[in-house]
């Protein structure tokens, strides 16, 4: 048997066994509870801060343009 064919068959067998294990049910309820609770508040705070900084940057740019022409 060709060496490359043998390596391909072995690789296919390994990948098949790994994909079967990866398809098992995983409990993600704890992670989704954290994301829906604490993370939402944090994301809203960061988003608000980014919008405030963007507004400040626009105001600074407008003031600079009005002073220096």
């Amino acid at each position: 048997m060709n060496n490359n064919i043998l390596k391909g068959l072995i690789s296919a067998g390994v990948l098949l066994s790994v994909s079967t294990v990866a398809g098992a049910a995983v409990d993600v309820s704890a992670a989704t509870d954290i994301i829906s609770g604490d993370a939402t508040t944090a994301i809203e705070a960061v988003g608000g801060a980014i919008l405030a900084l963007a507004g400040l940057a626009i105001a600074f740019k407008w003031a600079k343009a009005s002073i220096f022409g």
Side-chain angles (χ1 to χ4, degrees), residues 9-66:
L9 289 173
I10 291 172
S11 298
V14 169
L15 289 174
L16 183 62
S17 65
V18 169
S19 68
T20 304
V21 172
V26 177
D27 183 23
V28 294
S29 61
T32 55
D33 290 342
I34 292 171
I35 290 171
S36 64
D38 297 336
T40 303
T41 306
I43 290 170
E44 288 174 354
V46 170
I50 289 172
L51 289 175
L53 287 174
L56 183 64
I58 290 171
F60 180 75
K61 184 177 178 182
W62 175 80
K64 183 179 156 188
S66 67

